[in-house]
């Protein structure tokens, strides 16, 4: 049953059995839509209103995940893809729906044109962001013959140990991963996620349990960890989203982090190269797309990704609430 009707676009809650139509919209831009598509495919149950579409459930114009945070996709027209978007009335309907569902420390995140479409109405209604990050380049990893890590190690043989030490964190290593994840999150978003209760720790535990958290351990000084396993996390990143799109599997890396005392030594470069190879091995297949997005003001990260040959595939925006 529609929540709101604006001319031709009904805002309608859908259940998991109705997600196929919205996934087809996501297929217009699999790299840009991977976060929303991942959420739609991950959960077999959600509450009414958590996922909404504009238009008919089977053939929507756009849609969003709208619980705590907002993940919109398809609001803006994509003329080159034959997509008309949902128009200003559709964006207004989504903003009205999302306004009471967004929470403190939530966010509005997605392709910049979709975020802009809904944020205009949200801001006009009085919603304010702690930070507005309007330019977040979306980057896609290259696929060199022999793997990305091999190319890095050939140039810098002393970093071979880093590539060889990269592995999915195991359950016994979760106690090492959590503080590194908290440090990354706090540096990136400006607050300690553990203040909000146990949800963040549960998320990190899920990433570890599903083989999506990749780490490099060292001995605490930038050399290989001793075999007895008393190491520290030197580098970490997570596979935040994976979607088997019609055109191929897409993965999105999140939480890329190198320990402060090791930055500038090439460890992050070698580790991230090894992650790209590992994600293709473990999650996407050899032809899969490995992507991430980064703030335009993070010059060090942009330099790292540029050295590895990442190429721009779009722009995200994030409103931090």
């Amino acid at each position: 049953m529609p929540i709101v009707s604006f001319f031709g676009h009904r805002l309608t809650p859908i259940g998991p059995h109705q997600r196929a139509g919205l996934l087809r919209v996501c297929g217009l831009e699999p790299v840009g839509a991977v976060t929303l598509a991942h959420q739609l495919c991950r959960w077999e149950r959600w509450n009414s209103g958590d996922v909404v579409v504009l238009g008919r459930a089977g053939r929507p114009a756009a849609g969003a995940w709208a619980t705590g945070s907002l993940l919109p996709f398809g609001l803006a027209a994509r003329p080159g893809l034959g997509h008309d978007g949902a128009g200003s009335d559709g964006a207004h309907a989504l903003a009205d729906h999302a306004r009471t569902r967004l929470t403190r420390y939530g966010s509005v995140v997605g392709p910049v044109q979709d975020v802009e479409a809904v944020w205009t109405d949200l801001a006009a209604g009085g919603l304010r962001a702690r930070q507005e990050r309007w330019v977040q380049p979306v980057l896609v990893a290259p696929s060199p013959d022999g793997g990305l890590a091999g190319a890095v190690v050939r140039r810098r043989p002393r970093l071979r140990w880093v590539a060889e030490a990269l592995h999915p964190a195991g359950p016994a290593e979760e106690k090492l991963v959590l503080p590194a994840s908290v440090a990354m999150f706090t540096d990136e978003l400006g607050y300690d996620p553990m203040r909000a209760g146990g949800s963040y720790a549960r998320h990190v535990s899920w990433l570890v349990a599903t083989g999506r958290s990749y780490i490099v351990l060292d001995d605490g000084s930038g050399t290989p960890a001793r075999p007895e396993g008393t190491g520290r996390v030197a580098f970490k990143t997570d596979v935040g989203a994976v979607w088997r799109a019609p055109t191929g599997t897409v993965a999105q890396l999140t939480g890329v982090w190198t320990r402060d005392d090791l930055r500038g030594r090439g460890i992050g470069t070698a580790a991230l190269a090894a992650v790209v190879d590992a994600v293709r091995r473990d999650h996407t297949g050899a032809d899969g797309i490995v992507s991430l997005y980064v703030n335009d003001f993070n010059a060090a990260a942009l330099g790292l990704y540029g050295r590895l040959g990442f190429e721009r595939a779009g722009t995200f925006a994030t409103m931090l609430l």
Side-chain angles (χ1 to χ4, degrees):
M1 184 175 183
I3 297 174
V4 182
S5 179
F6 279 89
F7 299 99
H9 287 308
R10 299 181 309 165
L11 183 69
T12 307
I14 63 169
H17 64 289
Q18 298 169 301
R19 60 188 158 202
L22 184 50
L23 286 172
R24 281 194 292 273
V25 176
C26 291
L28 292 168
E29 291 177 354
V31 173
V34 63
T35 307
L36 173 58
H38 167 82
Q39 287 290 88
L40 295 174
C41 294
R42 175 184 173 186
W43 300 103
E44 292 303 320
R45 295 180 64 185
W46 56 67
N47 294 323
S48 179
D50 288 352
V51 181
V52 292
V53 297
L54 288 150
R56 289 183 292 149
R59 297 190 63 183
W65 184 276
T67 173
S69 291
L70 181 65
L71 307 177
F73 187 81
L75 291 174
R78 275 109 166 141
L81 299 173
H83 180 65
D84 295 332
S88 59
D89 291 321
H92 181 69
L94 179 58
D96 275 353
H97 175 69
R99 186 173 285 109
T100 59
R101 302 177 68 86
L102 292 166
T103 60
R104 187 183 182 194
Y105 297 129
S107 62
V108 181
V109 59
V112 62
Q113 63 270 44
D114 297 319
V115 171
E116 183 176 22
V118 72
W119 185 251
T120 299
D121 280 298
L122 288 169
L127 191 63
R128 296 293 177 262
R130 290 185 297 114
Q131 292 185 37
E132 298 184 8
R133 299 180 176 183
W134 284 107
V135 183
Q136 297 178 303
V138 177
L139 307 174
V140 170
S143 304
D145 292 339
L148 194 55
V152 170
V153 169
R154 283 192 293 273
R155 294 195 304 268
R156 305 180 72 175
R158 66 179 182 80
L159 295 174
R160 180 179 298 277
W161 77 268
V162 177
E164 292 176 346
L166 187 282
H167 65 280
E173 295 169 317
E174 187 176 323
K175 63 183 183 295
L176 301 176
V177 175
L178 181 58
S181 297
V182 169
M184 175 282 303
F185 191 103
T186 304
D187 288 348
E188 173 65 18
L189 298 181
Y191 69 94
D192 182 346
M194 301 297 281
R195 293 195 325 225
S199 60
Y200 187 72
R202 288 192 296 272
H203 176 64
V204 171
S205 183
W206 176 79
L207 289 167
V208 171
T210 55
R212 296 178 185 226
S213 189
Y214 289 84
I215 61 173
V216 172
L217 300 180
D218 75 337
D219 65 351
S221 63
T223 57
R226 293 187 293 272
E228 58 266 29
T230 57
R232 297 177 60 195
V233 175
F235 170 93
K236 70 156 288 289
T237 191
D238 305 312
V239 184
V242 181
W243 179 39
R244 299 191 184 281
T247 54
T249 303
V250 180
Q252 184 185 84
L253 303 180
T254 57
V256 180
W257 179 84
T258 303
R259 204 172 66 233
D260 287 355
D261 59 298
L262 301 179
R263 292 173 187 173
R265 297 167 59 172
I267 288 173
T269 302
L272 185 60
V275 166
V276 171
D277 294 344
V279 170
R280 289 190 171 125
R281 178 194 68 216
D282 299 340
H283 297 284
T284 72
D287 297 329
I289 295 174
V290 181
S291 69
L292 53 80
Y293 63 99
V294 59
N295 293 309
D296 63 335
F297 54 78
N298 192 339
L302 286 167
L304 186 160
Y305 305 141
R307 287 191 296 275
L308 287 175
F310 279 70
E311 295 185 351
R312 191 162 183 172
T315 304
F316 267 24
T318 299
M319 305 294 105
L320 297 173
L321 305 179

